[in-house]
Amino acid sequence: MNPNDQTVWGFKLPLGAAALVRAALQVTLRAGDVDMDGYPDFITVLQSKKDATDVRGVIMRNIPCSNNCTSGRTLEIVWDVPGLKDIPNVQIAAFFDLFEDGTLDILAATNTKQKWKMHALRNTEIFDSCFLKVLVLGGLCHHNCSVDPYGTNQPGPLVRYNMTTQEGKPLVSTSVQLSQSAHFPLQLPYSLFGLGQTPNFIDVLTVSIPASFNKSVHKREWVQIIPNSQIVIIPHPPNDEKKWVKRLFVTPSHLVFLTCIALIGTCIFLCLLVALLHWKERREDKKEKMQDAYRFHFDAM
C-alpha cells in the first residue's frame, strides 16, 4: 500500500494476454545494491489496483528492520524514485552501471500506443560508499592465443570476498554471475558489491568457475584488493588456476576529488599568503633603504 494515497498496489503483469508472452515476461525482482550498503536492493514494476493504467517503477530498498523480524532486514518501497516516477506506463525496469563508475543506474522500457521506448536514468545520489566490481570472462581464444584471450562474460562463476569492517568484524559476501537466463531476467553481466563506508582493503577475493563432469571446481584467490576497483578475471587456461590473469582498474571516489580540491585550495591560499608577506617585506626593505639614504644626506650636511 502506498502511504501517500492509501492505494493498494500489486505486481504488474506484462502486456499481452497470450500465455506465451506471460511465460516469457514473468514478474521479476531484479537485484542490485543501489545504495552501496552491502545488501541487495530490488527494482520492479507495480500496478495500482484502483486504476489499471497507473503503472509505476519502484525500488525496494533493503534496510534494517525496526520491528521484530527474523532476519533483521526488511524491504522498504521507494515510491518517488527521481526520474523513474515521471516515466508513464513502465513495463520493464532493471539496474545497470551506465558510466562504469560503480554506481547502479536505471534502465526502463515503456510501451505507449504499441510503441516501445527505452529510458536511461543516471543515479545522481552520492552515497559516499566504496564498491567492488568483478567481471569473470570466458577465457577462450579462436586462433591467436599469444594475447590474453578475453572471450565474453560466462554464466555461473562464483565471486566471494572476505574483509574486515571498521569495527573489526569479519565480512563475507558472495555473488553468482549470470545465474539465470530464462524469463528475461536482465541481470547484471558482472558482480557488483557495495562495501558501505568501509575504505579497508579486501583481504581475500575468491573466484571459481564451474567444472566439467566428475572434475573439481577451479578457483583462485587474490589478496589485498583496493576498494573502488573494477576487476576483470581471465581464467585461461581453465584447468591451470595459477595462470589466470587479473586486470585491476581503480575508480577514484568522490572523496578523492574533494580531497584534491581542498588540497589545491590550500596550496593556492598558502601561495597567496607567501606572496603577500613577500610583498610587505620588500616594501619594508624599500622604506628602510630610503630612510638610510635620507640619514646619509643629513649626516653629510
Side-chain angles (χ1 to χ4, degrees):
M1 178 180 291
N2 189 343
N4 298 327
D5 54 9
Q6 301 299 318
T7 303
V8 179
W9 293 68
F11 289 105
K12 171 70 172 66
L13 293 176
L15 289 176
L20 182 61
V21 175
R22 295 182 181 273
L25 297 177
Q26 296 291 327
V27 174
T28 305
L29 295 177
R30 297 177 175 89
D33 192 358
V34 69
D35 52 5
M36 311 302 292
D37 62 348
Y39 295 92
D41 307 301
F42 301 93
I43 187 171
T44 188
V45 179
L46 297 181
Q47 183 181 40
S48 174
K49 297 296 184 180
K50 183 178 180 180
D51 184 5
T53 61
D54 192 0
V55 181
R56 185 180 304 181
V58 298
I59 291 178
M60 297 181 176
R61 288 188 57 192
N62 193 333
I63 62 173
C65 182
S66 57
N67 300 325
N68 295 328
C69 51
T70 56
S71 61
R73 310 286 301 185
T74 186
L75 295 178
E76 178 188 55
I77 298 179
V78 181
W79 295 95
D80 297 327
V81 180
L84 187 59
K85 64 179 181 179
D86 301 324
I87 300 177
N89 201 18
V90 178
Q91 300 297 317
I92 302 173
F95 291 121
F96 194 76
D97 186 4
L98 295 174
F99 297 90
E100 297 292 338
D101 57 358
T103 303
L104 287 180
D105 308 297
I106 297 176
L107 293 176
T110 60
N111 188 303
T112 305
K113 297 181 180 180
Q114 301 302 319
K115 291 184 179 180
W116 288 89
K117 186 178 180 180
M118 286 292 300
H119 302 264
L121 304 175
R122 184 172 186 176
N123 188 353
T124 57
E125 296 188 33
I126 300 177
F127 297 101
D128 192 19
S129 301
C130 301
F131 70 92
L132 175 65
K133 186 176 181 180
V134 182
L135 172 62
V136 183
L137 301 177
L140 301 178
C141 58
H142 178 55
H143 60 283
N144 184 15
C145 295
S146 59
V147 297
D148 292 335
Y150 286 91
T152 184
N153 51 338
Q154 61 171 309
L158 184 140
V159 181
R160 182 183 66 188
Y161 74 85
N162 301 67
M163 67 180 302
T164 305
T165 62
Q166 293 179 338
E167 293 79 15
K169 299 179 181 179
L171 178 63
V172 181
S173 184
T174 304
S175 175
V176 178
Q177 179 177 287
L178 296 178
S179 60
Q180 179 184 348
S181 60
H183 302 300
F184 219 62
L186 292 180
Q187 293 181 342
L188 295 173
Y190 36 72
S191 297
L192 181 60
F193 301 95
L195 304 179
Q197 297 180 349
T198 306
N200 297 344
F201 275 59
I202 296 168
D203 298 330
V204 181
L205 174 66
T206 305
V207 176
S208 60
I209 61 175
S212 57
F213 185 69
N214 287 336
K215 292 185 178 180
S216 60
V217 176
H218 304 289
K219 69 176 182 179
R220 183 175 175 180
E221 296 180 348
W222 289 270
V223 297
Q224 296 299 309
I225 304 297
I226 304 175
N228 286 346
S229 299
Q230 302 189 44
I231 301 176
V232 178
I233 305 297
I234 308 174
H236 178 81
N239 298 328
D240 191 356
E241 296 87 353
K242 295 182 179 180
K243 294 184 179 180
W244 290 6
V245 179
K246 177 193 69 175
R247 295 282 185 264
L248 188 144
F249 307 90
V250 179
T251 303
S253 64
H254 297 283
L255 287 177
V256 175
F257 292 110
L258 294 178
T259 303
C260 292
I261 293 174
L263 181 60
I264 294 173
T266 303
C267 293
I268 294 175
F269 173 76
L270 292 177
C271 291
L272 293 176
L273 183 61
V274 170
L276 178 62
L277 294 176
H278 181 66
W279 175 76
K280 290 182 65 177
E281 184 178 0
R282 291 189 60 183
R283 191 178 67 172
E284 294 293 335
D285 292 342
K286 185 177 181 180
K287 187 176 180 180
E288 290 180 0
K289 289 181 179 180
M290 292 180 64
Q291 291 178 353
D292 292 340
Y294 290 149
R295 187 180 301 110
F296 173 77
H297 291 298
F298 180 77
D299 294 339
M301 293 175 61

